[in-house]
Amino acid sequence: MDTSSYLKAQARIPFRRYFLPRNSSKENLDRFIPNRSAMDFDYAHFALTEGREAKEEEVSPSREAYRKQLAEALNLNRTRILAFRNKPSTSVPKDHSASSSSLHYQRFQPLRPPRRIPQGSERTLDAPGFMDDIYLNILDWSSSNVVAVALDKSVCLWDASTGSVTELVRYGEDKGPVTSVNWAHDGVNLGVGLKNGEVDIWDCETKSLMRTLGGCHHEPVGSLAWNSHILTSGGMDGRIFNRDVRIRSSVVATYKGHTGEVCGLKWSGSGERLASGGRDNLVHIWDRSSSTQWLHRLRGHTSGVKALGWCPFQTHLLASGGGEEDGKIKFWNTQTGACLNSVDTGSQVSCLLWSNKERELLSSRGSQLTLWKYPSMVKMAELSGHESSVVSMSQSPDGCTVVSAAGDERLMFWNVFGVPGTAQKPVPKGSHEPFSHVARSIR
């Protein structure tokens, strides 16, 4: 290396030594990089100029108070000018008390007190002639607040609003006894299934027979279900018919799948799907638009299935209950056909009713009624009063009260779904035997 090159290299050494970053970790400090969006240069200028001049001047107390109020209004009472990040807003809403009380209400709102479920029935009615057959559907509560009950060969109506009782019809030996009753959604028309396989439609306002549907079932009709103007009937012959009651040739669909008596029928809330249960231990799901094949065949019960209930808050959820040798409540996804849960109740399940107010399910369990919390299936209450197994249950139009009927020939009314203060007051209690004027038939 020549002399000139060496001198030039030596001249650059001090520059590198004193101005380039050091290797020592203690001296390699991060630079302060301010967030310009968080800076207020106007306030900085004020603090360095007007603010300093104002402090040097002598001002009156009133002027100083005014200045402080002005600074607060303009948000000038700040302690920093530069910031790494934006300072969170600390402004207080004008209605601070309202906001505070609202926040306190949200955080410390007391829990709703537990709902009191009466352990005894509100009323008991004698029903002489009520048939002790778990696979019949001979009790129903209409949207117009009238209970229809079959007492052997008679159909009687009890008006829950007035407490009055009327006998709608009494059949002879050729047709009776009555094997099923079901109200249309209008609360006026009542379907009545008979032992001879016929189905009568009655106008209960005028007490007149509107139509008799025959020629389909050749055995007793044990179940009925209305879907608008379609009346679905299930017979002990295992067949299911959809009949449009507006037209002469009423049969519009036939469902074939059960090999035993059809003892349970329930349309979904949308009216698009039908669930059927039979004494062949099967549950079928049918689509209204198809009459040739079931949508799902649900297996799992080991006894006849009469109890069916579509969930009111989950469209495709169905609950089913098995008879004495089964005693299980099963929950099904009717979209996939999968069994979601199975609960052993220890006794036959003849009826299932969902609450339309809470996530609760009521089941008959032998002579008792059991209220379950869904989906945990924790028992909330057990209601006792019947002396024999419950055959049928139905729900009032307001969703609060349930009527149960058993082989002890009694109807019992339970305020099981009622919320305090919302349930209707019971009608004045009259005679303990509202159907006493109906002659008891010998079976």
Side-chain angles (χ1 to χ4, degrees), residues 173-233:
E173 294 290 340
D174 57 332
K175 290 189 174 185
V178 177
T179 52
S180 57
V181 294
N182 190 250
W183 286 99
H185 301 303
D186 59 9
V188 175
N189 293 316
L190 179 69
V192 178
L194 300 168
K195 182 181 179 180
N196 69 347
E198 294 181 345
V199 177
D200 284 348
I201 301 176
W202 288 84
D203 184 327
C204 293
E205 286 187 347
T206 62
K207 306 295 187 298
S208 59
L209 177 63
M210 304 295 294
R211 187 172 184 182
T212 297
L213 304 174
C216 292
H217 296 288
H218 303 291
E219 294 187 40
V221 179
S223 54
L224 295 170
W226 285 89
N227 184 6
S228 185
H229 53 273
I230 300 296
L231 177 58
T232 305
S233 60

Side-chain angles (χ1 to χ4, degrees), residues 324-378:
E324 186 174 3
E325 297 178 3
D326 181 87
K328 294 181 177 63
I329 301 175
K330 293 184 180 293
F331 298 91
W332 308 90
N333 182 336
T334 58
Q335 284 284 79
T336 63
C339 182
L340 304 177
N341 193 13
S342 180
V343 179
D344 191 349
T345 68
S347 184
Q348 65 182 12
V349 181
S350 60
C351 311
L352 291 171
L353 291 175
W354 289 93
S355 169
N356 57 16
K357 300 177 180 294
E358 305 287 344
R359 293 184 175 236
E360 298 170 358
L361 177 68
L362 182 69
S363 70
S364 63
R365 180 173 169 267
S367 61
Q368 291 183 325
L369 306 184
T370 303
L371 183 64
W372 309 84
K373 189 68 177 178
Y374 183 84
S376 65
M377 294 305 287
V378 173

Side-chain angles (χ1 to χ4, degrees), residues 83-190:
F84 282 101
R85 58 186 177 183
N86 295 332
K87 186 177 180 180
S89 174
T90 58
S91 60
V92 179
K94 293 181 179 180
D95 190 3
H96 175 71
S97 60
S99 175
S100 176
S101 62
S102 176
L103 180 62
H104 182 273
Y105 176 78
Q106 292 176 3
R107 289 185 178 179
F108 303 103
Q109 182 180 6
L111 296 175
R112 186 174 60 178
R115 179 165 55 86
R116 178 182 174 273
I117 303 172
Q119 297 299 302
S121 62
E122 286 189 326
R123 127 185 337 264
T124 299
L125 304 178
D126 287 341
F130 187 86
M131 292 186 292
D132 187 9
D133 189 336
I134 187 178
Y135 293 110
L136 297 182
N137 297 270
I138 49 179
L139 176 72
D140 198 24
W141 202 329
S142 75
S143 60
S144 58
N145 209 19
V146 177
V147 175
V149 57
L151 303 178
D152 196 19
K153 299 179 181 66
S154 301
V155 177
C156 295
L157 307 177
W158 179 73
D159 192 327
S161 301
T162 63
S164 62
V165 178
T166 57
E167 184 179 64
L168 176 66
V169 59
R170 172 180 290 275
Y171 291 99
E173 294 290 340
D174 57 332
K175 290 189 174 185
V178 177
T179 52
S180 57
V181 294
N182 190 250
W183 286 99
H185 301 303
D186 59 9
V188 175
N189 293 316
L190 179 69

Side-chain angles (χ1 to χ4, degrees), residues 139 141 147 392-395 401-405 411-414:
L139 176 72
W141 202 329
V147 175
S392 297
M393 291 195 309
S394 191
Q395 197 168 359
T401 307
V402 169
V403 58
S404 60
L411 306 184
M412 304 188 79
F413 294 78
W414 315 83

Side-chain angles (χ1 to χ4, degrees), residues 282-336:
L282 296 176
V283 176
H284 286 100
I285 306 298
W286 310 89
D287 193 290
R288 181 176 176 177
S289 61
S290 175
S291 60
T292 59
Q293 184 68 25
W294 61 80
L295 187 63
H296 295 292
R297 169 175 275 183
L298 308 179
R299 303 177 184 269
H301 288 291
T302 58
S303 187
V305 182
K306 172 196 173 186
L308 298 169
W310 289 93
C311 180
F313 50 83
Q314 291 186 19
T315 306
H316 302 293
L317 178 62
L318 175 73
S320 63
E324 186 174 3
E325 297 178 3
D326 181 87
K328 294 181 177 63
I329 301 175
K330 293 184 180 293
F331 298 91
W332 308 90
N333 182 336
T334 58
Q335 284 284 79
T336 63

